[in-house]
Amino acid sequence: MTAPIPLEKKSMTGARIELKSMGERIVQKRRGATPLPIRDGLNPTQARVSEGPISTWNFVHNLISTQRHRHPDDNEQALRARFDANEVVTQNGTALSPDSILDNNAVVYFYRIPAPEVPVPYDIPILFEDEHLLVVDKPPFMATMPRARHITETATVRLRRSTGNNELSPAHRLDRLTSGILVFTKDRSVRGAYQTLFAERRVNKTYEAIAPLADVSPGTLWHSRMEKTPGELQGRIVDGEVNAITEVADVAPVDKAPYEALHGPLPDLAKYTLKPHTGKTHQLRLHMLQAGIPIIGDPIYPVIFPAEAEDMRVPMHLTATHISFTDPVTGVTREFSSQLPLETHHLLRP
């Protein structure tokens, strides 16, 4: 489901990574553009020294050599080429040499080489575009923005490359396995206004999920407390103050034949129209699981499937089908709907 863009942090020996590899800090207070420009759709990495003094060479070499998803050609020769091209710089744009000494809290910018990725075999249909916004139907298996092993095969990078606009930035986030409406801003001047709109939950959102048919009445409200530990795949429902509310707006039986063609034998199925009142990570997936009707194709709930078993021809059937809001820049009412039926939304270009 959708969520505000989070601030990404990761601890490493000698550094605190303030941006995931080639990702983009979106909630930070910006004083201007980063000292290295976005290149080929990818942001430079920003890293802060936490255990100095240390030479710039050792600092950057450690970051590159210890990353989990590393391009085989990202070696010492490639690092030397970065220094020769003046592409290892300080926050004010000063080029650093390999022997430059970095003290605690020094900030360094440089480019990483993205590791090879399995191509996501789907298009990204454009639903709407004007001078400020680009709205798309995000396919499944495509992360919203770069993170971990998903860098170039993300909606942000693919769209920056296809449109030639490196300032494209998501106003919110959809889970990698969730498909549907995703809103991008086209220039930095309006980015904050739209991101604040989503962060403050001033957007009406509707999702549709395919799951086993059950005795669930339209108008049902699911109330829970959800928690998710960073680094763990599954969230969980725990005792405590409610922080996750989902409304079941409609339940309609569907023909299960097209889904059995993808997933094998299935029980009777229904399309559940869901309206989240809150925005916890995996909220809709957890609420459907709690109700005893896990979403068809979900590789995490109730059982975690191994990553190597992923088949991009077999999606999770959860789609953001409709959003509406009052435009914070123009004041007009915006409404966007997915243009593909849920039954075929996941089969754009297998």
Side-chain angles (χ1 to χ4, degrees):
M1 61 178 294
T2 190
I5 305 296
L7 173 63
E8 303 292 348
K9 293 184 179 180
K10 180 179 178 182
S11 295
M12 299 181 67
T13 301
R16 184 173 78 247
I17 297 298
E18 300 207 346
L19 300 180
K20 287 286 187 179
S21 178
M22 288 154 287
E24 180 170 4
R25 179 199 296 269
I26 293 183
V27 297
Q28 70 175 341
K29 294 181 180 178
R30 299 182 62 96
R31 295 183 179 178
T34 58
L36 290 175
I38 297 170
R39 185 169 68 182
D40 196 24
L42 301 172
N43 288 68
T45 291
Q46 173 186 318
R48 184 183 300 272
V49 176
S50 61
E51 296 178 11
I54 185 173
S55 73
T56 305
W57 177 276
N58 287 340
F59 177 65
V60 178
H61 183 271
N62 178 63
L63 295 178
I64 292 171
S65 62
T66 58
Q67 62 186 345
R68 291 180 60 190
H69 307 287
R70 178 183 177 186
H71 195 289
D73 295 334
D74 203 356
N75 50 28
E76 291 191 359
Q77 182 178 355
L79 177 55
R80 176 67 64 180
R82 291 177 175 90
F83 282 104
D84 291 343
N86 293 325
E87 291 180 348
V88 182
V89 304
T90 65
Q91 204 161 15
N92 65 9
T94 301
L96 293 164
S97 72
D99 297 328
S100 298
I101 300 301
L102 303 172
D103 293 322
N104 282 347
N105 294 318
V107 178
V108 176
Y109 291 80
F110 63 97
Y111 295 110
R112 293 192 185 181
I113 302 174
E117 299 176 46
V118 177
V120 177
Y122 299 103
D123 299 321
I124 314 176
I126 294 175
L127 300 175
F128 172 83
E129 183 174 8
D130 67 6
E131 61 178 322
H132 296 313
L133 297 179
L134 180 72
V135 183
V136 303
D137 249 338
K138 187 189 82 67
F141 301 104
M142 184 176 289
T144 297
M145 57 187 183
R147 184 178 182 185
R149 71 179 186 274
H150 306 294
I151 303 299
T152 58
E153 288 298 305
T154 59
T156 298
V157 175
R158 286 258 298 253
L159 287 167
R160 282 176 175 176
R161 290 177 172 181
S162 65
T163 64
N165 181 3
N166 276 331
E167 288 210 0
L168 275 180
S169 184
H172 61 117
R173 178 178 57 84
L174 284 179
D175 288 342
R176 176 174 173 266
L177 298 178
T178 302
S179 58
I181 302 166
L182 185 59
V183 178
F184 285 82
T185 59
K186 294 177 64 176
D187 62 89
R188 185 178 292 115
S189 66
V190 299
R191 185 179 303 169
Y194 290 100
Q195 289 172 352
T196 299
L197 180 81
F198 280 88
E200 294 181 350
R201 304 201 58 77
R202 292 184 280 123
V203 178
N204 298 312
K205 294 167 285 189
T206 301
Y207 292 75
E208 291 180 352
I210 298 297
L213 178 63
D215 186 16
V216 178
S217 300
T220 297
L221 286 177
W222 289 325
H223 300 79
S224 303
R225 179 167 187 82
M226 296 184 180
E227 295 181 356
K228 188 175 184 299
T229 301
E232 294 183 1
L233 291 178
Q234 287 186 332
R236 56 194 180 275
I237 294 176
V238 299
D239 293 333
E241 183 180 355
V242 168
N243 64 0
I245 302 173
T246 300
E247 175 187 351
V248 181
D250 190 41
V251 181
V254 296
D255 179 7
K256 66 180 181 178
Y259 301 98
E260 288 189 325
L262 287 172
H263 302 278
L266 294 168
D268 290 340
L269 300 177
K271 177 173 65 178
Y272 294 82
T273 302
L274 307 173
K275 293 181 178 292
H277 294 193
T278 54
K280 303 302 291 184
T281 300
H282 295 179
Q283 176 177 316
L284 302 183
R285 298 161 72 177
L286 276 167
H287 269 155
M288 295 289 283
L289 177 66
Q290 185 184 36
I293 44 175
I295 297 169
I296 299 301
D298 193 329
I300 296 179
Y301 303 102
V303 178
I304 298 175
F305 286 19
E308 58 271 19
E310 181 173 88
D311 184 346
M312 293 189 191
R313 297 169 299 177
V314 184
M316 177 180 73
H317 295 279
L318 176 63
T319 299
T321 55
H322 183 84
I323 67 170
S324 63
F325 56 86
T326 299
D327 193 299
V329 176
T330 66
V332 303
T333 298
R334 300 283 199 184
E335 293 193 31
F336 303 111
S337 297
S338 172
Q339 297 301 301
L340 295 172
L342 185 63
E343 289 77 7
T344 60
H345 189 90
H346 305 280
L347 305 175
L348 299 175
R349 187 167 56 85

